[in-house]
Amino acid sequence: MSEIMPFSAAVDPDLAAALAQLPDLCLDDLDEARRIFDAMLAALGPADTSGVTVEEWLVPGAPDGPEIPVRLFVPDACPDGHFGSRAVVLEIHGGGFVLGSAAQSDGLNTVIARRTGAVVVSVDYRLAPEHPYPAAVDDCYAALSWIASSAAHLDIDPDRIVLVGDSAGAGLAASVALRARDLGGPPIMLQVLLEPELDDRLETASMRAGTDTLVWDNTKAALSWRYYLGEQSPNGESVPARQSDLSGLPAAYIAVNELDPLRDEGLEYAQRLLHAGVHVELHLWPGTFHGFSLVRDAAVTRRATTSLCDSIIRAAAKTVVLEND
């Protein structure tokens, strides 16, 4: 019996119209890839940060590690009726572990802060291959620890921490959740994993079929993991899909894209979390490819963003109810 082809759907029409604006990055030449990626983000224009105060801070890093730049997004007001006003979101940007910066998520983070009333902290973690694992996880976990220890100063509730990561950032968010569980670290209310990069083995059906998929393919994925792991053997923290025990992790919101090589590893991780007794909300966005949220005005991007914000509001509201019982 032949294997069913994982990618048979057409690209969402709104997204198809914008494909020419998305460059094909070659990770073999990282300097050039970074230049092209930064130029693409600049061409999208600045995010609308109205209703939100954006600040740049330096926070303590891991022991013997450097200070970490973070960007804070503080909403000017809390939406009426939302319980997210005391929540805080630690956002971890994507980029295959090797590209980008916290600033690339300004648009998303502004929307999250504005719609949920949460304070958002976006971490500028160190990139591979100059800084292979565990540098990025160390930086993100240090930012989590700083948030928890600075709750009074930030005017947030340390029991309402949400992790939000995209692509490689989602893989880092999953790693941070695992480390927090294993070390008894700060409690995490919700882990939001968007188009997550979770598995270096590249053996899922969607990854094997992803030879010339839009924006991201299996060749880029292989290089991404090679840069990130360096000479180290993978383990259950550096590669969350290799973690044998997923019990005791925070509730998860997982979103995958229909035409994305990473699709099936996200689906498999969601299923394994469910089998481990973890609450999971799972979304598959039809007609979408990896990085589709760069097309900010597409209807499916707006739906995905609304769904994400609603999940944060619901989680914060549920926490309030539990505390009041």
Side-chain angles (χ1 to χ4, degrees):
M1 181 182 296
S2 62
E3 184 177 282
I4 297 174
M5 292 301 296
F7 307 119
S8 57
V11 175
D12 179 280
D14 282 356
L15 301 178
L19 281 176
Q21 304 171 26
L22 302 177
D24 184 19
L25 299 173
C26 177
L27 297 187
D28 289 305
D29 186 343
L30 270 184
D31 288 339
E32 180 66 4
R34 288 167 174 170
R35 185 193 67 76
I36 294 173
F37 187 74
D38 292 344
M40 177 195 67
L41 294 175
L44 294 175
D48 174 12
T49 58
S50 58
V52 174
T53 299
V54 183
E55 303 173 358
E56 296 187 5
W57 292 30
L58 281 175
V59 304
D64 301 322
E67 289 187 307
I68 305 163
V70 300
R71 294 170 73 83
L72 263 68
F73 299 78
V74 183
D76 297 342
C78 176
D80 292 339
H82 287 187
F83 290 97
S85 58
R86 297 170 63 201
V88 59
V89 172
L90 174 59
E91 188 272 335
I92 306 173
H93 71 81
F97 306 112
V98 299
L99 303 172
S101 69
Q104 77 188 54
S105 302
D106 283 1
L108 174 64
N109 291 331
T110 298
V111 171
I112 291 174
R114 200 160 47 209
R115 293 189 185 177
T116 70
V119 173
V120 181
V121 179
S122 184
V123 55
D124 228 341
Y125 58 87
R126 288 170 288 173
L127 299 177
E130 295 88 348
H131 304 284
Y133 172 82
V137 180
D138 287 347
D139 291 351
C140 296
Y141 189 79
L144 172 68
S145 300
W146 172 78
I147 287 170
S149 65
S150 304
H153 184 61
L154 295 173
D155 192 25
I156 56 93
D157 186 338
D159 291 326
R160 296 196 183 98
I161 298 175
V162 176
L163 297 178
V164 174
D166 179 85
S167 189
L172 294 173
S175 294
V176 169
L178 287 163
R179 182 178 290 190
R181 180 200 66 178
D182 294 343
L183 297 183
I188 297 166
M189 178 176 69
L190 179 69
Q191 54 176 325
V192 176
L193 311 180
L194 308 174
E195 53 184 16
E197 184 174 4
L198 299 163
D199 196 345
D200 69 310
R201 292 167 292 192
L202 312 178
E203 293 174 353
T204 65
S206 62
M207 184 59 71
R208 290 198 305 271
T211 55
D212 61 353
T213 39
L214 298 168
V215 179
W216 194 250
D217 57 34
N218 50 23
T219 299
K220 294 184 179 73
L223 277 171
S224 171
W225 283 109
R226 189 183 311 164
Y227 288 140
Y228 177 60
L229 294 173
E231 300 300 320
Q232 304 165 84
S233 297
N235 60 52
E237 180 183 271
S238 61
V239 183
R242 289 181 178 265
Q243 173 59 243
S244 59
D245 178 13
L246 299 182
S247 63
L249 287 169
Y253 174 102
I254 298 178
V256 298
N257 310 324
E258 185 175 17
L259 306 175
D260 187 346
L262 296 173
R263 182 194 66 199
D264 290 355
E265 61 199 67
L267 294 174
E268 290 180 5
Y269 199 70
Q271 185 176 49
R272 290 187 58 219
L273 285 169
L274 284 168
H275 290 171
V278 177
H279 174 75
V280 176
E281 179 176 345
L282 177 63
H283 293 262
L284 186 150
W285 298 109
T288 59
F289 48 82
H290 193 78
F292 76 92
S293 61
L294 290 169
V295 188
R296 298 172 180 170
D297 295 331
V300 66
T301 302
R302 294 196 297 270
R303 292 198 304 272
T305 303
T306 297
S307 177
L308 161 61
C309 291
D310 286 349
S311 74
I312 295 171
I313 294 167
R314 287 195 303 272
K318 182 178 180 181
T319 304
V320 170
V321 171
L322 290 174
E323 288 181 353
N324 291 336
D325 282 348

